[in-house]
């Protein structure tokens, strides 16, 4: 038998979706910072090649 979808279930679903979004954004930011740190903070020599 299937149970009814309640407000509590909706709140949990939205909360989990928001939590997943925050975790993904933090992971993306950390990867970007690590890439920037490894490659260096200076501007490229030949900007026209970009």
């Amino acid at each position: 038998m299937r149970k009814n979808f309640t407000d509590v279930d909706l709140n949990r679903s939205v909360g989990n979706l928001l939590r997943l979004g925050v975790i993904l954004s933090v992971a993306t930011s950390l990867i970007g910072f690590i890439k920037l740190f490894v490659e260096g903070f200076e501007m490229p020599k030949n900007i026209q090649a970009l």
Side-chain angles (χ1 to χ4, degrees), residues 19-41:
R19 188 175 295 119
L20 178 65
V22 168
I23 290 170
L24 287 176
S25 66
V26 167
T28 304
S29 298
L30 285 176
I31 290 169
F33 179 74
I34 291 170
K35 182 179 181 296
L36 180 66
F37 189 75
V38 168
E39 291 181 358
F41 290 96

Side-chain angles (χ1 to χ4, degrees), residues 2-3 8 11-12 15 18 20 26 37 39 47:
R2 209 167 177 186
K3 79 172 199 171
V8 174
N11 284 339
R12 281 194 190 126
L18 289 171
L20 178 65
V26 167
F37 189 75
E39 291 181 358
I47 295 177

